[in-house]
Amino acid sequence: MKLLLIATSAFALFANSALAQNSNLRFGLGISTLGANLEGAYRINQNWAVRGVLSGGISTKNLGGGGTQTIDGVTYNTSGQLGGFALLGDYYTGSSGFRVSGGAFISNTSFSGSTTAGPNNQITIGTATFNGGETANASVAFKRKVSPMATLGYDWDIGRRFTLSGEIGAIAMGGLNVSLTAPAAPANDVAAEVQNINDELSQFGVYPYIAITASYLF
Protein backbone atom coordinates (compact mmCIF):
# COMPACT_ATOMS: atom_id res chain seq x y z
CA MET A 1 0.00 0.00 0.00
CA LYS A 2 2.82 2.42 0.87
CA LEU A 3 4.50 1.68 -2.46
CA LEU A 4 1.26 2.34 -4.35
CA LEU A 5 0.84 5.69 -2.57
CA ILE A 6 4.40 6.70 -3.48
CA ALA A 7 3.82 5.77 -7.12
CA THR A 8 0.47 7.56 -7.29
CA SER A 9 1.97 10.70 -5.75
CA ALA A 10 4.83 10.68 -8.24
CA PHE A 11 2.50 10.28 -11.22
CA ALA A 12 0.26 13.05 -9.88
CA LEU A 13 3.29 15.33 -9.59
CA PHE A 14 4.22 14.67 -13.23
CA ALA A 15 0.67 15.32 -14.37
CA ASN A 16 0.27 18.57 -12.41
CA SER A 17 3.60 19.88 -13.71
CA ALA A 18 2.67 19.09 -17.28
CA LEU A 19 -0.77 20.67 -17.07
CA ALA A 20 0.62 23.81 -15.47
CA GLN A 21 3.36 24.25 -18.06
CA ASN A 22 1.66 22.63 -21.10
CA SER A 23 4.75 20.48 -21.59
CA ASN A 24 5.51 16.90 -22.64
CA LEU A 25 3.88 14.21 -20.53
CA ARG A 26 3.53 10.59 -21.47
CA PHE A 27 2.06 7.49 -19.86
CA GLY A 28 2.78 3.94 -20.92
CA LEU A 29 2.27 0.26 -20.30
CA GLY A 30 4.92 -2.39 -20.78
CA ILE A 31 6.56 -5.60 -19.71
CA SER A 32 9.88 -6.08 -17.95
CA THR A 33 11.97 -8.57 -16.01
CA LEU A 34 10.01 -7.42 -12.94
CA GLY A 35 6.61 -8.06 -14.52
CA ALA A 36 4.09 -5.57 -15.91
CA ASN A 37 5.09 -1.88 -15.99
CA LEU A 38 3.04 1.28 -15.54
CA GLU A 39 5.18 4.27 -16.53
CA GLY A 40 4.83 8.05 -16.42
CA ALA A 41 7.43 10.47 -17.82
CA TYR A 42 7.73 14.25 -17.99
CA ARG A 43 10.08 15.72 -20.63
CA ILE A 44 11.70 18.81 -19.12
CA ASN A 45 13.60 19.85 -22.26
CA GLN A 46 15.36 18.30 -25.26
CA ASN A 47 17.95 16.56 -23.09
CA TRP A 48 16.28 15.79 -19.77
CA ALA A 49 13.22 13.93 -18.51
CA VAL A 50 12.05 12.47 -15.21
CA ARG A 51 10.27 9.13 -15.11
CA GLY A 52 8.42 6.94 -12.62
CA VAL A 53 7.94 3.22 -13.21
CA LEU A 54 5.70 0.95 -11.13
CA SER A 55 6.56 -2.71 -11.77
CA GLY A 56 5.44 -6.08 -10.52
CA GLY A 57 3.47 -9.24 -11.07
CA ILE A 58 6.08 -11.97 -11.59
CA SER A 59 5.30 -14.50 -8.88
CA THR A 60 6.94 -17.74 -7.83
CA LYS A 61 4.54 -19.62 -10.12
CA ASN A 62 5.70 -17.49 -13.08
CA LEU A 63 9.34 -18.31 -12.29
CA GLY A 64 8.79 -22.03 -12.86
CA GLY A 65 8.30 -24.96 -10.55
CA GLY A 66 4.55 -24.40 -10.03
CA GLY A 67 4.93 -22.61 -6.70
CA THR A 68 7.87 -24.68 -5.47
CA GLN A 69 11.58 -23.87 -5.49
CA THR A 70 14.53 -26.13 -4.71
CA ILE A 71 17.38 -24.28 -2.99
CA ASP A 72 20.48 -26.04 -1.68
CA GLY A 73 18.74 -29.38 -2.13
CA VAL A 74 15.62 -28.44 -0.12
CA THR A 75 12.28 -28.04 -1.92
CA TYR A 76 10.12 -25.23 -0.50
CA ASN A 77 6.47 -24.37 -1.18
CA THR A 78 6.88 -20.73 -2.11
CA SER A 79 4.86 -17.53 -2.36
CA GLY A 80 5.75 -13.92 -3.16
CA GLN A 81 6.58 -11.80 -6.18
CA LEU A 82 8.96 -9.31 -7.74
CA GLY A 83 8.02 -5.65 -7.77
CA GLY A 84 8.82 -2.08 -6.85
CA PHE A 85 8.87 1.55 -7.92
CA ALA A 86 11.68 3.27 -9.83
CA LEU A 87 12.25 7.02 -9.97
CA LEU A 88 14.66 7.85 -12.80
CA GLY A 89 16.28 10.79 -14.54
CA ASP A 90 16.67 10.35 -18.33
CA TYR A 91 19.41 12.10 -20.31
CA TYR A 92 18.88 12.17 -24.10
CA THR A 93 21.95 12.57 -26.28
CA GLY A 94 21.45 15.27 -28.88
CA SER A 95 18.21 14.96 -30.89
CA SER A 96 18.21 11.16 -30.99
CA GLY A 97 15.99 8.83 -28.99
CA PHE A 98 18.95 7.29 -27.20
CA ARG A 99 18.93 7.87 -23.44
CA VAL A 100 21.00 7.12 -20.37
CA SER A 101 18.98 6.76 -17.18
CA GLY A 102 19.82 6.58 -13.51
CA GLY A 103 17.98 6.76 -10.24
CA ALA A 104 16.61 4.67 -7.39
CA PHE A 105 14.51 1.53 -7.17
CA ILE A 106 12.29 1.08 -4.10
CA SER A 107 11.85 -2.67 -3.73
CA ASN A 108 8.64 -4.43 -2.83
CA THR A 109 10.20 -7.80 -3.69
CA SER A 110 9.94 -10.66 -1.22
CA PHE A 111 9.59 -14.43 -1.30
CA SER A 112 8.82 -16.91 1.44
CA GLY A 113 8.92 -20.69 1.50
CA SER A 114 8.07 -23.52 3.84
CA THR A 115 8.72 -27.24 3.91
CA THR A 116 7.94 -30.17 6.18
CA ALA A 117 10.25 -33.16 6.42
CA GLY A 118 8.82 -36.62 5.85
CA PRO A 119 9.74 -40.08 4.55
CA ASN A 120 9.35 -38.80 0.99
CA ASN A 121 10.77 -35.34 1.67
CA GLN A 122 14.02 -35.65 3.55
CA ILE A 123 15.48 -32.20 4.23
CA THR A 124 19.01 -31.23 5.17
CA ILE A 125 19.73 -28.02 7.09
CA GLY A 126 23.48 -27.48 7.25
CA THR A 127 24.71 -30.93 8.30
CA ALA A 128 21.48 -31.98 10.05
CA THR A 129 19.04 -34.24 8.18
CA PHE A 130 15.34 -34.66 9.04
CA ASN A 131 12.48 -36.87 7.84
CA GLY A 132 9.98 -36.93 10.72
CA GLY A 133 7.72 -33.88 10.47
CA GLU A 134 10.31 -31.18 11.22
CA THR A 135 9.65 -27.81 9.55
CA ALA A 136 11.75 -25.11 7.93
CA ASN A 137 10.64 -21.63 6.84
CA ALA A 138 12.71 -19.27 4.70
CA SER A 139 12.27 -15.73 3.38
CA VAL A 140 14.26 -13.83 0.76
CA ALA A 141 14.22 -10.10 -0.14
CA PHE A 142 16.51 -7.57 -1.82
CA LYS A 143 19.21 -6.56 0.66
CA ARG A 144 18.69 -2.88 -0.19
CA LYS A 145 15.19 -1.52 0.23
CA VAL A 146 16.29 1.42 -1.96
CA SER A 147 18.78 0.38 -4.65
CA PRO A 148 20.71 2.35 -7.29
CA MET A 149 19.43 1.67 -10.81
CA ALA A 150 20.94 2.46 -14.23
CA THR A 151 19.72 1.71 -17.76
CA LEU A 152 20.37 2.44 -21.42
CA GLY A 153 17.34 2.91 -23.63
CA TYR A 154 15.94 4.14 -26.92
CA ASP A 155 12.60 5.77 -27.81
CA TRP A 156 11.06 5.19 -31.23
CA ASP A 157 8.43 7.82 -32.08
CA ILE A 158 5.42 6.39 -33.93
CA GLY A 159 3.54 9.35 -35.30
CA ARG A 160 3.03 12.38 -33.08
CA ARG A 161 1.51 10.66 -30.05
CA PHE A 162 2.90 7.17 -29.65
CA THR A 163 6.34 6.01 -28.54
CA LEU A 164 7.80 2.51 -28.32
CA SER A 165 10.71 2.27 -25.88
CA GLY A 166 13.23 -0.39 -25.04
CA GLU A 167 15.84 -0.37 -22.29
CA ILE A 168 18.33 -2.60 -20.58
CA GLY A 169 20.19 -2.13 -17.31
CA ALA A 170 20.56 -3.34 -13.75
CA ILE A 171 19.35 -2.79 -10.21
CA ALA A 172 22.19 -2.89 -7.68
CA MET A 173 20.26 -4.75 -5.00
CA GLY A 174 23.43 -5.55 -3.01
CA GLY A 175 22.59 -9.24 -2.73
CA LEU A 176 19.76 -10.78 -0.76
CA ASN A 177 18.56 -10.82 2.82
CA VAL A 178 17.89 -14.44 3.72
CA SER A 179 16.26 -15.61 6.94
CA LEU A 180 15.58 -19.20 7.98
CA THR A 181 13.81 -20.76 10.93
CA ALA A 182 14.16 -24.49 11.56
CA PRO A 183 13.32 -25.23 15.22
CA ALA A 184 14.70 -28.77 15.15
CA ALA A 185 18.08 -27.79 13.70
CA PRO A 186 21.05 -26.56 15.76
CA ALA A 187 21.80 -22.83 15.43
CA ASN A 188 25.13 -23.44 13.68
CA ASP A 189 23.40 -25.59 11.03
CA VAL A 190 20.75 -22.90 10.47
CA ALA A 191 23.52 -20.29 10.02
CA ALA A 192 25.34 -22.59 7.58
CA GLU A 193 22.15 -23.14 5.57
CA VAL A 194 21.51 -19.38 5.36
CA GLN A 195 25.02 -18.96 3.97
CA ASN A 196 24.45 -21.77 1.45
CA ILE A 197 21.23 -20.13 0.24
CA ASN A 198 23.00 -16.78 -0.05
CA ASP A 199 25.83 -18.35 -2.03
CA GLU A 200 23.37 -19.97 -4.42
CA LEU A 201 21.11 -16.95 -5.00
CA SER A 202 23.40 -13.92 -4.60
CA GLN A 203 26.21 -14.54 -7.03
CA PHE A 204 26.30 -11.08 -8.60
CA GLY A 205 24.49 -8.67 -6.27
CA VAL A 206 22.57 -7.08 -9.17
CA TYR A 207 19.20 -7.80 -10.75
CA PRO A 208 19.00 -7.45 -14.58
CA TYR A 209 16.38 -5.04 -15.85
CA ILE A 210 15.01 -5.28 -19.40
CA ALA A 211 11.81 -3.52 -20.45
CA ILE A 212 9.67 -2.74 -23.49
CA THR A 213 7.06 0.01 -23.09
CA ALA A 214 4.41 1.55 -25.35
CA SER A 215 3.53 5.15 -24.38
CA TYR A 216 1.04 7.83 -25.33
CA LEU A 217 2.11 11.49 -25.43
CA PHE A 218 -0.42 13.99 -24.03
Side-chain angles (χ1 to χ4, degrees), residues 67-123:
T68 65
Q69 185 73 31
T70 300
I71 306 172
D72 194 37
V74 178
T75 299
Y76 295 90
N77 297 311
T78 56
S79 63
Q81 66 177 17
L82 294 165
F85 177 70
L87 185 60
L88 302 166
D90 300 327
Y91 176 73
Y92 289 84
T93 59
S95 58
S96 73
F98 179 77
R99 55 180 160 84
V100 179
S101 305
F105 179 78
I106 305 169
S107 175
N108 194 35
T109 296
S110 64
F111 294 93
S112 61
S114 62
T115 188
T116 301
N120 298 320
N121 185 40
Q122 180 173 288
I123 63 174

Side-chain angles (χ1 to χ4, degrees), residues 11 26-30 37-41 51-54 99 165 167 209 213 215:
F11 289 154
R26 75 169 192 256
F27 285 98
L29 296 173
N37 279 4
L38 172 63
E39 178 176 301
R51 184 162 48 105
V53 186
L54 181 64
R99 55 180 160 84
S165 304
E167 65 183 318
Y209 181 79
T213 306
S215 302

Side-chain angles (χ1 to χ4, degrees), residues 173-195:
M173 62 184 185
L176 298 170
N177 274 332
V178 177
S179 65
L180 177 70
T181 58
N188 60 317
D189 282 312
V190 172
E193 186 67 13
V194 168
Q195 186 59 54

